[in-house]
Amino acid sequence: MMKIVRRSAPALLACAMLAGILTASPAMAQSDWSRQAARIISSKQTYPTTAQMRGEEGTAKVKVYVGADGSVQRTELATGSGSPLLDREALAMPTRAGRLPAPPGGPTVLTVPVTWKLI
């Protein structure tokens, strides 16, 4: 009897979600989207050679304004890294990422921290 319940549990859960009995929370969907968008943006990070040669390190926080279709509308520096070179790189990353997945709640603003550390 337990084997039948274990095998059918995923199917029952899927049916319940389709029927609207159980739903993923909007907050969870937004949180998942935020993590995915931040990963996509972070994948475009480079370490400017001049900043490396100068030994510049830091963390910048970039506000990314995302349209309902996932397009990057604009970027804004929320917190600077202490290096103009790194700040420029942080502002350029979202644009290089191109179109992001469409946010679940429509247009939104995402703040992405970007850290550069010499090893």
Side-chain angles (χ1 to χ4, degrees):
M1 178 75 169
M2 285 301 280
K3 288 183 182 179
I4 294 172
V5 171
R6 284 189 191 145
R7 286 185 191 155
S8 61
L12 290 172
L13 179 62
C15 288
M17 288 183 80
L18 286 173
I21 297 169
L22 294 175
T23 58
S25 74
M28 185 186 317
Q30 184 69 27
S31 174
D32 290 343
W33 175 86
S34 295
R35 280 193 297 277
Q36 181 182 15
R39 268 195 309 274
I40 292 168
I41 292 168
S42 294
S43 74
K44 302 304 178 186
Q45 181 178 0
T46 63
Y47 208 134
T49 305
T50 304
Q52 287 181 33
M53 291 177 6
R54 292 179 184 168
E56 295 176 357
E57 299 180 330
T59 298
K61 290 184 181 178
V62 179
K63 282 177 130 178
V64 183
Y65 294 82
V66 182
D69 63 350
S71 62
V72 175
Q73 304 292 313
R74 67 185 175 104
T75 59
E76 180 179 299
L77 198 60
T79 306
S81 66
S83 162
L85 290 170
L86 298 179
D87 292 346
R88 274 195 300 272
E89 170 62 17
L91 288 168
M93 289 169 47
T95 305
R96 281 200 308 266
R99 188 171 297 250
L100 301 170
T108 192
V109 179
L110 174 69
T111 302
V112 180
V114 185
T115 300
W116 290 269
K117 181 115 175 106
L118 294 169
I119 298 174

